[in-house]
Amino acid sequence: MSSPLPNFVTMARKGFRRQRLVLFDCMRGQAVELTKFPAHLGHTAEAEWKTLSLPSGQNGCLLEAAAEDDRFRLTAESPRGVRVNGTLLTNTCELEPGISMVQIGRELIALAVGEEAQEQIQRVQADDWRLFRTADGAVEAVTRFRELPELVHQRGLDPTLYAAAPVGLDSGFHLTQVYEALGASLPAHKDQTEAPVLDGSQGEYTCPVCWLKFDAGDAMNIAAHDSLRGDPILGEDARLRFFPTRFNDLGQAIDPLGLPSADLACPHCRRRLPPGFLEVPQFIFSIVGAPSAGKTYYLSILLKVLQQTLFREFGLVLKDGDPTGNMLLNQMKNRLFSASKPEEAILAKTALEGAMYERLPRHGKLVALPRPFAYALGRAEKRPGGNMDDSDHATDCSIIFYDNAGEHFEPGVDVEDSPGALHVASSSTIFFLFDPTSNFAFRKILSGSNDPQLVSNARLDQQDSIMSEMEIRVKRLLALESGRKIEVPLVVLVGKCDVWKHLVAWDEFKNPLQNGHIIHSIVDENSARLREFMTRVDPTIVAHAEGLARTVRYFPISAFGHSPSKLEAGTGAGLLAPDPKRIEPIFLEIPTLWALSRLMPQVVPAG
């Protein structure tokens, strides 16, 4: 049962202070400040705000003020009643702080109660209205108020499923109210005229943030004008996402205030898509591993080494494809390689919901999703004469990496509430980083070593459980039977090889990069040697890997090339960090180059 309305008459007699309410005429873009109460809204001489849409001598409603908590009472005076937030009101209701959308006759107004709501009214762009679905708030288009019925007709929409509001207001009016205000006839309902709701299961493109699918025509634009803030899904600080209806001579979408809008957003999570997303192939490289396996160090060093090798061996440039989105990873890379001592080279652990994650809508609720790190790959030089031909453009692609908290892959983590690991099901290649210093069998055969990673690592080894959990999730998401294997290659990165390479015939592991090619036969031979070694020490990871994927390769790598040091003092006391002056990665970029050679042989040719 709702709480009883305050006794407005009694409080008025006690002489409480006069309150302030702002009335905003949504159809004309005019604001009126009401300070004298009681106040009538209607078509009488005594009305504080007048409308000709009611019969002469008739008021629509009465507003009364209480002196407590910015509360007001609205009483319907019209025989036809008034609508408050879409509900027909024939008696009385209380207006609490915020904005109430009210229809009186054929007038659409917003009543702003409280300072915060009244400040929002000042930012409203009344010339443009956004049309959105009432079910999920997804914006269909932004257009002029009087053009709404025609737009609905052109797109074949069911007006009973949509609402509209001036740009800047979070709430709106049902389209049935808009038609009534314009004196337009509501079109007859037609079956199958509702705009299709994207479920993310189909489409040419896969969002690199939420991994749901969509077609090029479903991508949204992001308003360029700084005044167009207040997206209905992302909140008041985000620029408006919209489906464009106007374009300039260059074919660029025009935002509601007339500026060209170049940035695109996913229609599901509404996160900005990397530049050129619709123009070049996108390859997702998922890095999976247990907590504290070293994924953040691996990725930070990999990007630097990969840029150098691609240019030196293949004449290719790996560029930052999204400087804003990649800012955190770039900061970590710069911190690591600009450090002069281990204390300055510590990289923060990727927390389950830390800075490497952002909360975005997915299937109707806000969830933590890992930030994608997008990099553009293309030819370093043009053809003779300075012109690009088709073969030059054929080398263009985008690589998207993820640094995922290992906890996301631990058994028991709910996939729907914490879907941060779902990118593995959309990956072009899955990389599993195996940490030998956490594995019981490896620690046993390395028991004579004084490496601080073996002395300090007391975390429970869950790497086989994480591999099993990944297999279950991927096959469930791809609707595969448990006995079937995925077609996407699985790369097993056996890390920290500087610690264990003395246990194998290391001289037999050859560098597969030769004369601008990656020699697949050498990759296969190295993989077979490492697989045999892994099987002898602890076959569990091998069994899980080969039960998941049809194609599996094993690569020895080391991000540091040396054992890290245990810090003795300062804020990092007890932590391990590399000596930045001694970083010499071993085979670190080879697995990524092998994956690229399978996906884009014209980029990284195989021998």
Side-chain angles (χ1 to χ4, degrees):
M1 180 179 296
S2 60
S3 59
L5 294 174
N7 189 327
F8 283 74
V9 175
T10 301
M11 289 189 288
R13 286 174 179 169
K14 290 181 179 180
F16 284 90
R17 64 182 176 87
R18 187 168 294 171
Q19 295 297 315
R20 174 177 178 266
L21 180 147
V22 171
L23 181 151
F24 183 76
D25 187 330
C26 296
M27 298 167 64
R28 298 169 184 81
Q30 299 171 347
V32 177
E33 183 178 327
L34 301 177
T35 58
K36 296 180 181 180
F37 300 96
H40 294 278
L41 309 182
H43 193 179
T44 63
E46 65 194 23
E48 295 289 335
W49 179 79
K50 294 180 173 57
T51 171
L52 301 180
S53 68
L54 293 174
S56 179
Q58 184 181 113
N59 282 320
C61 65
L62 173 69
L63 288 170
E64 298 171 276
E68 295 181 338
D69 300 326
D70 285 327
R71 289 188 294 173
F72 292 82
R73 182 166 66 184
L74 185 151
T75 301
E77 295 184 297
S78 169
R80 296 179 57 191
V82 298
R83 289 191 178 274
V84 180
N85 297 327
T87 301
L88 181 64
L89 178 70
T90 58
N91 45 30
T92 299
C93 73
E94 184 177 356
L95 302 180
E96 296 183 348
I99 295 179
S100 298
M101 313 302 284
V102 179
Q103 179 185 7
I104 303 174
R106 287 169 55 183
E107 306 289 344
L108 304 180
I109 63 174
L111 298 178
V113 178
E115 292 183 3
E116 183 176 342
Q118 290 158 12
E119 289 176 359
Q120 183 180 352
I121 286 292
Q122 297 175 7
R123 301 192 294 269
V124 173
Q125 306 290 329
D127 290 340
D128 290 289
W129 285 54
R130 57 183 176 87
L131 176 66
F132 60 93
R133 290 198 298 263
T134 55
D136 57 9
V139 176
E140 173 73 22
V142 177
T143 188
R144 304 293 181 177
F145 175 68
R146 295 190 174 276
E147 296 173 0
L148 284 166
E150 179 62 24
L151 179 65
V152 170
H153 173 72
Q154 290 176 353
R155 298 198 177 186
L157 307 178
D158 181 354
T160 63
L161 302 174
Y162 286 81
V167 171
L169 285 181
D170 298 328
S171 303
F173 301 95
H174 292 297
L175 275 192
T176 52
Q177 296 176 265
V178 172
Y179 276 76
E180 185 177 354
L182 289 171
S185 299
L186 196 67
H189 174 68
K190 300 177 182 178
D191 292 337
Q192 305 301 323
T193 56
E194 179 186 357
V197 177
L198 303 175
D199 64 3
S201 63
Q202 296 180 337
E204 181 181 358
Y205 299 93
T206 299
C207 174
V209 181
C210 66
W211 317 296
L212 297 178
K213 296 181 180 297
F214 61 93
D215 289 316
D218 296 320
M220 303 182 78
N221 281 79
I222 302 176
H225 199 287
D226 194 56
S227 299
L228 292 176
R229 293 187 180 272
D231 184 79
I233 303 298
L234 300 182
E236 62 181 15
D237 292 333
R239 293 183 189 270
L240 178 72
R241 271 62 170 163
F242 67 98
F243 292 105
T245 57
R246 296 181 293 166
F247 299 86
N248 62 17
D249 293 341
L250 298 177
Q252 297 171 313
I254 301 298
D255 74 16
L257 291 183
L259 291 185
S261 168
D263 289 338
L264 298 178
C266 168
H268 301 287
C269 67
R270 299 192 171 218
R271 208 262 200 184
R272 185 169 66 89
L273 295 169
F277 177 80
L278 302 180
E279 302 167 7
V280 298
Q282 311 285 320
F283 300 120
I284 293 178
F285 287 173
S286 294
I287 304 169
V288 182
S292 302
K295 296 183 295 299
T296 301
Y297 281 108
Y298 162 76
L299 187 54
S300 299
I301 300 174
L302 169 66
L303 286 170
K304 186 175 181 65
V305 175
L306 193 60
Q307 288 173 324
Q308 295 171 343
T309 303
L310 283 169
F311 184 80
R312 183 179 62 247
E313 299 290 337
F314 304 100
L316 299 168
V317 175
L318 184 68
K319 298 183 294 186
D320 191 336
D322 185 8
T324 300
N326 297 347
M327 181 174 61
L328 286 171
L329 183 58
N330 289 334
Q331 288 176 346
M332 290 191 296
K333 183 177 68 171
N334 293 337
R335 174 184 174 89
L336 185 62
F337 286 99
S338 64
S340 59
K341 52 186 178 180
E343 289 80 1
E344 299 173 355
I346 300 176
L347 298 185
K349 179 187 182 300
T350 306
L352 194 63
E353 304 230 355
M356 304 285 268
Y357 287 75
E358 53 189 329
R359 297 192 68 80
L360 293 167
R362 189 178 192 275
H363 287 323
K365 60 182 177 181
L366 288 175
V367 293
L369 297 172
R371 296 178 184 271
F373 303 118
Y375 289 82
L377 183 61
R379 189 179 296 280
E381 297 179 359
K382 298 179 181 179
R383 296 296 182 187
N387 297 316
M388 299 287 283
D389 61 20
D390 290 341
S391 63
D392 290 302
H393 292 295
T395 65
D396 294 343
C397 67
S398 179
I399 308 173
I400 299 169
F401 297 95
Y402 290 93
D403 178 19
N404 219 113
E407 288 84 353
H408 266 304
F409 295 92
E410 290 182 345
V413 175
D414 186 87
V415 172
E416 292 303 320
D417 290 334
S418 187
L422 297 184
H423 54 82
V424 292
S426 300
S427 293
S428 301
T429 304
I430 301 173
F431 297 78
F432 184 86
L433 180 56
F434 175 72
D435 179 8
T437 66
S438 295
N439 178 266
F440 174 77
F442 269 88
R443 291 171 64 85
K444 185 176 181 181
I445 63 174
L446 292 168
S447 59
S449 172
N450 60 358
D451 190 293
Q453 297 170 107
L454 295 166
V455 175
S456 303
N457 197 332
R459 187 180 178 94
L460 179 66
D461 183 21
Q462 301 183 75
Q463 296 181 98
D464 57 339
S465 298
I466 289 174
M467 179 75 85
S468 298
E469 183 70 16
M470 182 177 68
E471 177 181 353
I472 292 171
R473 292 188 193 182
V474 171
K475 289 183 177 180
R476 187 177 74 181
L477 290 167
L478 297 178
L480 293 178
E481 298 175 359
S482 59
R484 291 188 59 188
K485 299 181 181 182
I486 64 173
E487 299 298 327
V488 170
L490 173 63
V491 168
V492 179
L493 307 169
V494 185
K496 305 176 182 178
C497 66
D498 56 284
V499 178
W500 55 263
K501 66 180 184 178
H502 64 281
L503 300 174
V504 298
W506 184 250
D507 290 343
E508 295 180 1
F509 286 86
K510 306 298 182 182
N511 189 338
L513 289 183
Q514 296 180 11
N515 301 319
H517 291 71
I518 182 165
I519 310 302
H520 279 196
S521 60
I522 296 179
V523 170
D524 295 342
E525 291 168 4
N526 288 346
S527 176
R529 291 188 183 94
L530 187 54
R531 179 189 183 280
E532 190 275 331
F533 173 64
M534 291 278 292
T535 303
R536 282 192 289 110
V537 178
D538 186 349
T540 308
I541 293 297
V542 174
H544 284 310
E546 296 177 4
L548 169 61
R550 190 177 304 278
T551 301
V552 183
R553 292 294 184 275
Y554 303 86
F555 292 85
I557 65 164
S558 174
F560 303 153
H562 69 276
S563 297
S565 305
K566 184 175 182 180
L567 305 184
E568 302 296 338
T571 56
L575 298 178
L576 300 178
D579 183 346
K581 298 178 181 178
R582 297 175 55 207
I583 292 179
E584 294 184 8
I586 301 173
F587 291 157
L588 199 68
E589 74 277 33
I590 300 300
T592 305
L593 294 174
W594 175 81
L596 279 172
S597 72
R598 290 175 57 91
L599 295 165
M600 296 277 284
Q602 71 272 32
V603 173
V604 178

